[in-house]
Amino acid sequence: MLDVFILIVFMVVIGALIGGVTNSLAIKMLFRPYKAYYIGRFKVPFTPGLIPKRREELAQQLGNMVVDHLITPESLQKKIMNDDFQRDVTEWLQEESAPVFRSDKTINEWLEILHIPVSSDVLNRWLKEWVEDKVTRSKMEYSSKRVGEALPEKWQEKIEDAIPKLVDMIAGRAESYFTSPEGKAKVKIMIDDFLKERGRLGNMLGMFLGNTSIADKVQPEIVKFIKHEGTQEILHNLLRKEWGKLKLMQVDEVIDKLPEEDIMSQLHTSLIRIVDIDGHLSKPLSYWLAPHEGTFTDTLLPKWVEKGTDLLSAKIPNLMTKLHLQKIVQEQVESFSVARLEDLVLGISRREFKMITYLGALLGGIIGLIQSIFVMIFS
């Protein structure tokens, strides 16, 4: 009886060892040996292991699996269009943009940080060139035309409507001048010069009337003359007549009579002063952006993220084609050493491989038990 028990135990142990060792060896042979061995010209069977032998095929199959089943255009589109993903992107962009909106660095400093070759000198030079180009183009376009043809109808109407106002302004300024002490003194000087030119008659008239009394009498008459409707009508007609002559002149004739260089210089100087590029670039970025931070982060940014994800979702299939993701995975896997591939696979499935080994030992033990029973029956 003891012999039978020993036989059964022996065959079960031998079967378990064979099953366990066989499965363990089979698992090892998936990876090992890492390279082929030769005896003379003949390669040793089962070298290298299965995975080293078919690494290129494995890399290709992994690439196909990633593209066809794991990272597909549909899965990426679903992820991008997910509300939680868009909210996370929006919050991330809000956090990243906040320091920019509140930055104390000037625009000049930001331009240096971003290596953008722009400065106030460059912009002012560009402004000068732009003005000169516009003036040159305008001269070429309108030089052969008359002023009346070159000026827009609205401008001509405004000028004609401004003539009565200009007459009133001239009359008002003249009245103010001649009623002022300076005007009175000027009238007296003019009368003195007039009497001197008349010789003795003028001296006699001046001694008889007195220069001051003549000036006092002439000054009110000058004021009356200025305020008289006829005077204003003459001035009005004179301005209209001159305006009519000006409209009939060619633009190049008018330009030739103007100090073009002085006008261009003054125009450029005025534009630089009005635009104040240097002043704007010297202000901190927060001066310009902080007032709009709420609008950007709460209104514009969510809309831009939504539009951007829609656009990205539509472009994903073409983008994945351009990326050649399958080839990237294949090349990456091919670059791994066999030892690293073994570590990756065992790191994921080590427990399962142990269970396969234990299962082999269990099956081997059961087979050994069955064999021992058959041996006892047929012996």
Side-chain angles (χ1 to χ4, degrees):
M1 187 68 179
L2 182 60
D3 293 339
V4 172
F5 178 76
I6 292 173
L7 177 64
I8 293 173
V9 171
F10 177 77
M11 295 190 72
V12 168
V13 171
I14 292 301
L17 286 173
I18 293 172
V21 171
T22 302
N23 280 12
S24 178
L25 182 62
I27 292 171
K28 293 289 185 182
M29 289 179 66
L30 288 174
F31 303 96
R32 305 201 182 178
Y34 294 151
K35 60 182 181 179
Y37 290 97
Y38 291 85
I39 300 176
R41 292 182 300 170
F42 299 98
K43 186 177 73 170
V44 177
F46 306 111
T47 62
L50 178 63
I51 289 179
K53 184 176 182 180
R54 297 191 174 183
R55 183 168 62 174
E56 293 183 2
E57 183 180 348
L58 174 64
Q60 184 177 0
Q61 291 299 325
L62 283 173
N64 293 333
M65 181 181 67
V66 169
V67 173
D68 295 338
H69 302 288
L70 298 179
I71 306 178
T72 63
E74 293 77 14
S75 63
L76 289 177
Q77 288 173 332
K78 184 177 179 180
K79 177 64 177 177
I80 289 174
M81 298 305 295
N82 184 270
D83 292 338
D84 293 336
F85 175 80
Q86 293 188 4
R87 184 171 57 254
D88 292 341
V89 171
T90 302
E91 291 176 355
W92 174 74
L93 290 175
Q94 288 173 343
E95 293 176 359
E96 293 297 320
S97 62
V100 177
F101 279 91
R102 301 164 193 173
S103 173
D104 292 330
K105 291 186 174 67
T106 64
I107 296 179
N108 280 323
E109 292 174 330
W110 274 104
L111 292 173
E112 291 182 7
I113 292 172
L114 299 175
H115 301 289
I116 299 176
V118 175
S119 64
S120 58
D121 292 337
V122 173
L123 293 176
N124 285 331
R125 186 165 56 252
W126 173 84
L127 182 62
K128 181 180 179 181
E129 292 173 354
W130 179 81
V131 171
E132 291 176 351
D133 179 67
K134 288 295 182 182
V135 171
T136 302
R137 288 176 180 271
S138 299
K139 284 173 60 179
M140 293 176 62
E141 183 178 357
Y142 296 106
S143 60
S144 60
K145 295 182 179 181
R146 299 184 184 277
V147 174
E149 296 173 346
L151 287 178
E153 290 292 335
K154 290 184 178 180
W155 288 21
Q156 296 185 41
E157 291 175 1
K158 289 183 178 181
I159 292 174
E160 291 177 359
D161 292 340
I163 288 177
K165 298 178 181 178
L166 183 60
V167 170
D168 293 339
M169 185 187 71
I170 293 173
R173 294 288 178 86
E175 181 182 351
S176 298
Y177 176 76
F178 283 107
T179 54
S180 67
E182 182 182 357
K184 290 180 180 180
K186 187 65 176 178
V187 169
K188 184 177 181 303
I189 293 172
M190 291 171 64
I191 291 174
D192 289 342
D193 292 340
F194 176 78
L195 294 177
K196 287 179 181 179
E197 291 176 358
R198 295 301 177 272
R200 293 182 179 180
L201 179 62
N203 292 332
M204 290 175 61
L205 186 61
M207 292 174 61
F208 179 73
L209 296 174
N211 292 349
T212 303
S213 61
I214 295 175
D216 290 340
K217 291 178 180 180
V218 171
Q219 184 192 21
E221 297 302 322
I222 293 175
V223 174
K224 286 180 183 179
F225 176 77
I226 292 171
K227 296 171 65 177
H228 195 275
E229 294 181 0
T231 305
Q232 296 190 10
E233 185 178 354
I234 292 172
L235 185 58
H236 185 273
N237 292 336
L238 178 62
L239 291 176
R240 281 196 174 278
K241 184 178 180 180
E242 293 300 320
W243 166 238
K245 291 180 180 179
L246 180 61
K247 288 198 295 183
L248 295 175
M249 293 179 64
Q250 287 189 330
V251 174
D252 56 352
E253 293 179 13
V254 177
I255 294 175
D256 290 339
K257 296 179 179 181
L258 298 175
E260 186 176 350
E261 293 184 2
D262 294 341
I263 292 175
M264 289 294 298
S265 178
Q266 186 62 37
L267 179 61
H268 183 237
T269 303
S270 299
L271 280 175
I272 290 177
R273 184 177 63 254
I274 293 171
V275 177
D276 191 20
I277 294 174
D278 188 55
H280 294 327
L281 296 183
S282 298
K283 292 178 181 178
L285 191 61
S286 58
Y287 175 85
W288 301 102
L289 297 184
H292 309 289
E293 182 178 4
T295 302
F296 176 80
T297 56
D298 299 335
T299 305
L300 295 179
L301 190 57
K303 291 182 179 179
W304 290 355
V305 170
E306 183 179 356
K307 294 292 184 182
T309 51
D310 289 343
L311 179 61
L312 181 60
S313 177
K315 298 293 184 181
I316 277 180
N318 186 45
L319 182 62
M320 291 187 67
T321 303
K322 297 290 185 183
L323 285 174
H324 301 291
L325 191 60
Q326 177 182 353
K327 189 174 182 180
I328 292 174
V329 174
Q330 181 178 344
E331 291 176 352
Q332 191 68 21
V333 173
E334 288 177 352
S335 67
F336 291 166
S337 65
V338 180
R340 185 177 179 187
L341 281 175
E342 183 180 10
D343 290 338
L344 288 174
V345 175
L346 293 180
I348 297 172
S349 305
R350 189 180 301 277
R351 183 177 179 183
E352 285 72 16
F353 284 151
K354 285 184 178 180
M355 293 303 298
I356 291 173
T357 303
Y358 296 153
L359 179 61
L362 177 62
L363 291 175
I366 293 173
I367 292 172
L369 177 63
I370 294 173
Q371 286 178 339
S372 64
I373 293 173
F374 275 104
V375 169
M376 288 187 295
I377 292 174
F378 294 104
S379 60

